[in-house]
Amino acid sequence: MDGLRQKVIAIAEAAGDIMLTEQDVHVDTKGTKENYVTSTDLKIERFLRKELTSLLPGSAFMGEEDGTSGDSADPDRPMWVVDPIDGTANYVRGIPMSVVSIALVKGCKPILGVVRHPRLDETFSAAEGEGAFLNGKPLHVSERTREHCMVCTAWSCYNKTRAGLCFDVSQTLYGICEDIRRIGTAAYELCLLAKGSCDLYFEAFLAPWDFSAAACILREAGGCIITSSGDLDCTRPSIVLAANGTGNLEFLKNVVREALARHPEAKINIGF
Ligand code: IPD
Ligand code: CA
């Protein structure tokens, strides 16, 4: 997989350059006033669809903006799962926290992930069984105990009926852990867990393109990540829980279970 990882890194870096250099960006919204899409999202996704599907002929492709192409129902067929810009609201507002996220998923699991933060010149990457890297240097999660965790989270900005659940989880974690960050790009936040800068993560809901690449990176860095089923499914939207290790993941599962019992309006079924 190393040769493929290097080729995907080159493609992600070229996509990041488009994010940095694009002029006269057209901004639109989709669904809700908080959910932006720009001409740059569309341009990068078109570039990635072409480059990645020709890198692996026969592969399927799922992108945030233009949907799925190829036979995504066949579990043996590898599928690229791509967010051209994760952190589009940051991009629109000039907050320098947006990444390109590229995963290769097979049978619901991520087998390769690349997350490119062009403004920081950071490229996170991993392939299953081969470790996780930031600009070529190996990554490992932290060993912090729950009292010393930095939590990354968000409050369901595109579907605020789940905000009560998210604030409830935040309140519990804020009382026990050190502090909370909401950076506005789930993929990068999960990479911060892989790097050992942050330690716990919760969000309801994320789409596969938000978390699949970083899930591969985090697992290869020694971290844990699950979706609603209690396992990891990179083919459907889900709540996402992640931690620097199994002990803190169990702690987070309990916090989420108890908050869900208090928030039936969130309408989330879990298998853990
Ligand atoms: C969003 C970001 C944000 C998270 C949202 C995602 P987008 O992705 O990752 O941090 O809170 O749930 O949808 O819309 O910028 O691609
Ligand atoms: Ca996006």
Side-chain angles (χ1 to χ4, degrees):
M1 291 281 273
D2 195 50
L4 184 63
R5 186 172 63 88
Q6 297 303 339
K7 287 179 184 157
V8 178
I9 286 174
I11 292 170
E13 293 184 349
D17 290 347
I18 300 176
M19 201 197 293
L20 290 188
T21 54
E22 199 60 5
Q23 304 286 323
D24 301 322
V25 176
H26 176 78
V27 179
D28 211 341
T29 55
K30 45 181 186 179
T32 69
K33 70 179 191 305
E34 298 85 0
N35 199 353
Y36 292 99
V37 57
T38 72
S39 48
T40 317
D41 293 78
L42 301 173
K43 183 168 179 177
I44 295 175
E45 186 163 316
R46 276 197 295 272
F47 169 76
L48 292 176
R49 190 179 295 262
K50 181 169 162 286
E51 295 293 323
L52 294 170
T53 51
S54 49
L55 192 59
L56 213 59
S59 53
F61 185 99
M62 178 199 283
E64 172 166 10
E65 311 305 343
D66 288 328
T68 302
S69 57
D71 187 0
S72 58
D74 177 355
D76 293 327
R77 187 181 292 268
M79 176 165 68
W80 298 103
V81 178
V82 163
D83 194 343
I85 302 181
D86 185 51
T88 303
N90 285 344
Y91 176 73
V92 165
R93 292 166 183 274
I95 299 168
M97 278 291 166
S98 309
V99 300
V100 177
S101 176
I102 302 171
L104 187 62
V105 170
K106 201 170 173 196
C108 304
K109 301 286 180 275
I111 56 172
L112 187 147
V114 175
V115 173
R116 171 67 179 166
H117 193 317
R119 286 206 184 275
L120 295 183
D121 190 16
E122 288 183 340
T123 305
F124 295 84
S125 67
E128 194 179 30
E130 294 177 11
F133 304 90
L134 166 54
N135 293 349
K137 295 210 180 86
L139 289 177
H140 207 274
V141 291
S142 76
E143 292 181 357
R144 289 187 195 93
T145 55
R146 72 179 69 159
E147 295 78 13
H148 295 293
C149 281
M150 177 64 79
V151 181
C152 287
T153 196
W155 302 285
S156 193
C157 63
Y158 304 148
N159 177 353
K160 290 183 181 170
T161 60
R162 298 190 187 116
L165 167 77
C166 298
F167 282 117
D168 187 325
V169 170
S170 288
Q171 185 164 5
T172 304
L173 295 177
Y174 195 60
I176 297 170
C177 305
E178 276 196 11
D179 206 344
I180 292 183
R181 295 286 182 272
R182 192 288 193 260
I183 297 170
T185 151
Y188 190 68
E189 289 167 13
L190 289 165
C191 286
L192 289 177
L193 265 73
K195 191 185 165 194
S197 300
C198 298
D199 319 287
L200 275 180
Y201 181 91
F202 171 72
E203 193 159 348
F205 266 36
L206 287 178
W209 46 80
D210 297 316
F211 65 85
S212 297
C216 182
I217 295 163
L218 178 57
R219 281 178 145 192
E220 287 299 316
C224 312
I225 179 163
I226 59 168
T227 49
S228 320
S229 63
D231 197 355
L232 176 65
D233 181 346
C234 292
T235 60
R236 64 196 75 231
S238 178
I239 60 169
V240 173
L241 286 71
N244 59 348
T246 50
N248 279 336
L249 182 66
E250 287 307 314
F251 157 65
L252 181 59
K253 280 180 178 173
N254 275 328
V255 170
V256 172
R257 252 185 235 122
E258 287 173 13
L260 277 169
R262 291 187 287 269
H263 291 277
E265 82 287 353
K267 295 199 173 80
I268 296 173
N269 296 316
I270 52 169
F272 57 83

